[in-house]
């Protein structure tokens, strides 16, 4: 199934949404994802998330579909991440190159999702937070004038929180129309990849 999905060319938000939902569902049972399936899934996740950077969102319905697709993809990332940790716990003979490939593809997927969600995001809107059983992702865009002392806190999560320093200490100009994008992600599993 993963091999078939990897061959689909995503050219619309609707196709991305459908692919994302399927990826979430077929990775749901992480204990059933072999090491090779994790490699295939992580490559497909990276490709579908990259397509979100190029699909055209024409109206607010497409914006919601993009957010929904990103949510499904982030859930699939979480599922593959959990499978990877479980596989390493029971099978220490999984090649390092495979483990590294899965980790890199999942990181690329998260970066793509963050970039896609930041397209068109207005400064100082509510932050977007995606939380799963094994990972959390935070995305926000702020005006530099409102940057000083802004607290970054994910409610209902065990994730760390922090306060942003002043714009001048970050070498940000502070010009009214400048914006700063904030991206954060955290793995909630005890093992790290």
């Amino acid at each position: 199934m993963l091999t078939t999905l990897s061959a689909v060319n995503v050219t619309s938000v609707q196709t991305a949404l459908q692919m994302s939902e399927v990826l979430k569902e077929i990775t749901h049972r992480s204990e059933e994802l072999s090491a090779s399936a994790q490699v295939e899934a992580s490559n497909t996740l990276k490709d579908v998330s990259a397509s979100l950077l190029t699909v055209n969102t024409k109206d607010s319905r497409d914006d919601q579909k993009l957010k929904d697709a990103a949510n499904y993809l982030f859930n699939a990332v979480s599922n593959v991440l959990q499978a990877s940790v479980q596989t390493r716990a029971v099978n220490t003979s999984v090649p390092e190159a495979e483990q590294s490939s899965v980790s890199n593809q999942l990181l690329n997927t998260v970066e793509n999702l963050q970039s896609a969600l930041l397209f068109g995001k207005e400064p100082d809107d509510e932050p977007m937070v995606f939380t799963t059983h094994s990972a959390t992702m935070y995305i926000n865009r702020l005006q530099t004038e409102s940057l000083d002392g802004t607290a970054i806190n994910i409610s209902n999560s065990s994730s760390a929180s922090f306060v942003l320093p002043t714009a001048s200490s970050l070498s940000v100009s502070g010009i009214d129309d400048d914006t700063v994008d904030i991206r954060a992600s955290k793995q909630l599993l005890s093992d790290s990849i």
Side-chain angles (χ1 to χ4, degrees):
M1 180 74 147
L2 286 167
T3 304
T4 303
L5 287 174
S6 67
V8 174
N9 186 19
V10 179
T11 58
S12 71
V13 177
Q14 184 62 37
T15 305
L17 178 61
Q18 292 167 340
M19 285 278 296
S20 302
E21 192 169 9
V22 169
L23 283 165
K24 176 189 171 208
E25 290 304 316
I26 65 173
T27 60
H28 180 68
R29 299 179 71 69
S30 56
E31 66 276 2
E32 294 178 0
L33 288 175
S34 66
S36 60
Q38 293 166 32
V39 171
E40 189 73 38
S42 62
N43 282 329
T44 305
L45 286 166
K46 179 193 59 99
D47 292 344
V48 174
S49 68
S51 73
L52 295 179
L53 300 171
T54 60
V55 293
N56 197 3
T57 53
K58 298 175 181 124
D59 59 37
S60 61
R61 288 182 309 229
D62 285 345
D63 286 342
Q64 187 57 50
K65 287 178 185 176
L66 180 80
K67 289 176 187 170
D68 291 344
N71 188 31
Y72 289 139
L73 287 172
F74 189 67
N75 275 275
V77 165
S78 176
N79 296 338
V80 175
L81 177 63
Q82 184 172 0
S84 176
V85 170
Q86 290 171 348
T87 298
R88 277 182 300 181
V90 297
N91 184 0
T92 57
S93 65
V94 176
E96 179 96 17
E98 270 187 17
Q99 292 175 7
S100 180
S101 174
V102 169
S103 297
N104 288 334
Q105 302 307 344
L106 294 178
L107 287 172
N108 285 335
T109 300
V110 169
E111 289 174 10
N112 289 341
L113 294 176
Q114 290 171 331
S115 294
L117 291 166
L118 283 165
F119 283 146
K121 181 163 177 32
E122 293 296 320
D124 300 321
D125 277 354
E126 287 295 311
M128 286 183 268
V129 179
F130 294 84
T131 302
T132 68
H133 57 281
S134 63
T136 298
M137 180 172 65
Y138 176 97
I139 307 107
N140 202 3
R141 175 170 285 156
L142 298 173
Q143 293 284 139
T144 54
E145 64 191 25
S146 61
L147 187 66
D148 297 349
T150 298
I152 306 298
N153 186 15
I154 301 170
S155 60
N156 300 327
S157 173
S158 62
S159 296
S161 62
F162 56 94
V163 176
L164 295 175
T166 63
S168 61
S169 69
L170 295 173
S171 300
V172 177
S173 69
I175 298 172
D176 289 345
D177 60 350
D178 281 351
T179 60
V180 175
D181 292 339
I182 301 170
R183 304 170 181 223
S185 57
K186 181 178 187 304
Q187 176 185 338
L188 304 175
L189 297 170
S190 58
D191 294 356
S192 61
I193 63 170

